Amino acid sequence: MIEKPLEFSKGFFFVREWLVQIQVNVTDVSENPAANTDLTGRNIISIRDLNRAEVELILREAERFEEQLGHGGRLRTLAGSVLATLFFEASTRTRLSFESAMHRLGGAVISTPDGRHTSSAVKGETIADTIRIITGYADVIVQRHPAIGSAREAAHYAQPAGVPVINAGDGAGEHPTQALLDLYTIRKERGALDGLNVTLVGDLKHGRTVHSLLQALCLWDVNITLVSPDSLRMPFETVAELTANGTHIEETSNLEEAAVNADIVYMTRIQKERFTHTEEYETLKDSFIIDAAFMRRHPNVTLLHPLPRVDEITPDVDDFENAAYFRQAQNGLYVRMAALALVLGEHA
Ligand code: NCD
């Protein structure tokens, strides 16, 4: 059940039929945006799994959890439930914020933080078998894996046991809970999402956070500018689909120009681990660098980054009030509390 990347070699007719199909699907959702806002038992694999009403529900619940924690609340919302975190790729924020979220909700956590070396995958076990086993031990699974489609595959094998799977990153595919916490942060920092000019910068080809965030933003009325080196552009099919659906998207390689009208600049790391040739990475790694001078030239920009940063934001930017990336990482806790609670049928 691995999702195959779409093939465009089949030519124009295939693309045309596919765009028509997408428009039909999108219309279905927008006609009834409040449909099915119960997330109990649901997987969160792609941001496409959620309509706007469902995304808003998660953001609202996250706000409540933030408020409750702020008041020193000791929550028992998920007492007796167990989360399994299964990570086959490096992570700091995503895994620890999910685990912290579960602990803060009174639940328990079991973990394979370094699945590449310490899980039975080392002995040749398939995702299918690993997942079948974990569903006997946990009520919800959060997985990160280098293969695109691996989270959908995990969800397929967890489904008979009724255990929801949350995708914490499937290679260069998607990272839907990062997009949710990005939306949460943008709304908190700027007061609203509608009407904003949002600029996504960096490795838009391999960056799973921007793949999910772009689709999530298009649930609102936003203008998007995509800034990348030509070889690291956002996949054509994603841009084509969202443009066909009415979102205004511009593509450029000029960050300075794009920043002039931007409300949000969302910086990303050039994804070293996705390159086959190190030389290509070396030529591209310093394509865009945001420093204190940039922040002074663009005082109205709110700067976000999913982190980790390497050299693309210099440390002297951290002191600017509108450099919001550390607050953004903190918001991951509340949003992941909301996601876990909702898929397990609980509320704040
Ligand atoms: C991102 C990821 O893993 O995709 N990190 C994160 O989850 N906050 C971004 C990155 O690694 O560049």
Side-chain angles (χ1 to χ4, degrees):
M1 285 294 285
I2 295 185
E3 274 185 340
K4 297 245 167 53
L6 284 161
E7 277 181 43
F8 282 84
S9 53
K10 288 184 187 139
F12 170 73
F13 292 108
F14 174 84
V15 175
R16 194 187 57 181
E17 278 165 27
W18 174 69
L19 283 174
V20 168
Q21 184 59 43
I22 280 158
Q23 277 171 324
V24 169
N25 291 343
V26 167
T27 311
D28 287 345
V29 170
S30 60
E31 269 173 5
N32 191 3
N36 189 15
T37 36
D38 181 6
L39 291 173
T40 309
R42 293 267 296 277
N43 302 308
I44 305 179
I45 306 301
S46 160
I47 206 76
R48 285 163 194 268
D49 295 341
L50 303 168
N51 62 33
R52 176 157 160 175
E54 291 164 344
V55 170
E56 280 178 344
L57 172 68
I58 296 172
L59 303 187
R60 246 189 347 262
E61 289 291 303
E63 246 163 41
R64 291 202 189 124
F65 279 127
E66 179 174 359
E67 217 176 276
Q68 289 173 7
L69 287 185
H71 291 123
R74 293 192 163 271
L75 308 180
R76 307 289 301 152
T77 318
L78 292 183
S81 295
V82 177
L83 160 70
T85 54
L86 185 56
F87 276 61
F88 296 97
E89 265 193 350
S91 172
T92 301
R93 274 152 292 274
T94 304
R95 185 174 64 82
L96 293 181
S97 61
F98 262 116
E99 295 186 358
S100 177
M102 194 63 182
H103 286 297
R104 295 235 185 264
L105 290 166
V109 178
I110 54 175
S111 183
T112 305
D114 188 11
R116 281 168 304 185
H117 300 112
T118 57
S119 80
S120 282
V122 182
K123 304 176 189 169
E125 188 169 59
T126 60
I127 288 192
D129 285 359
T130 304
I131 293 293
R132 281 188 190 110
I133 299 306
I134 295 177
T135 57
Y137 305 155
D139 304 296
V140 54
I141 296 171
V142 172
Q143 178 183 276
R144 171 172 286 187
H145 191 282
I148 293 179
S150 49
R152 190 74 72 195
E153 187 184 2
H156 175 75
Y157 291 106
Q159 196 264 331
V163 172
V165 172
I166 301 179
N167 180 10
D170 59 327
E174 281 214 46
H175 193 351
T177 60
Q178 178 70 44
L180 294 168
L181 78 89
D182 295 338
L183 291 182
Y184 186 79
T185 305
I186 294 172
R187 210 169 62 174
K188 206 160 140 189
E189 297 286 327
R190 303 297 299 222
L193 284 154
D194 278 327
L196 292 180
N197 294 323
V198 182
T199 299
L200 309 182
V201 189
D203 188 347
L204 307 185
K205 176 182 178 188
H206 304 111
R208 55 193 173 203
T209 68
V210 280
H211 295 167
S212 292
L213 178 58
L214 176 60
Q215 298 178 74
L217 284 167
C218 290
L219 295 170
W220 274 264
D221 180 19
V222 290
N223 293 312
I224 308 277
T225 307
L226 303 175
V227 182
S228 68
D230 198 47
S231 58
L232 299 179
R233 284 167 70 172
M234 181 67 69
F236 162 77
E237 59 270 33
T238 310
V239 177
E241 174 198 340
L242 297 171
T243 305
N245 185 33
T247 303
H248 182 76
I249 301 180
E250 277 179 34
E251 292 185 88
T252 173
S253 55
N254 189 330
L255 172 59
E256 199 53 41
E257 261 176 40
V260 172
N261 291 319
D263 300 302
I264 303 288
V265 169
Y266 188 97
M267 195 66 182
T268 64
R269 175 178 72 88
I270 306 293
Q271 307 276 297
K272 184 179 185 180
E273 64 276 32
R274 311 279 176 229
F275 285 79
T276 326
H277 304 292
T278 323
E279 315 81 67
E280 195 194 351
Y281 167 73
E282 290 297 329
T283 2
L284 293 167
K285 73 179 168 57
D286 294 328
S287 299
F288 305 105
I289 293 179
I290 289 185
D291 56 12
F294 176 96
M295 297 302 281
R296 278 192 290 271
R297 282 196 303 279
H298 304 287
N300 298 323
V301 160
T302 297
L303 181 62
L304 301 180
H305 191 306
L307 304 177
R309 70 168 146 189
V310 190
D311 296 322
E312 62 278 4
I313 298 179
T314 57
D316 55 2
V317 172
D318 299 355
D319 296 332
F320 283 78
E321 180 50 31
N322 44 350
Y325 32 88
F326 295 125
R327 295 192 288 276
Q328 180 184 2
Q330 176 63 35
N331 290 335
L333 175 69
Y334 316 125
V335 170
R336 288 174 173 136
M337 287 173 80
L340 289 170
L342 289 167
V343 300
L344 289 175
E346 299 294 340
H347 285 266

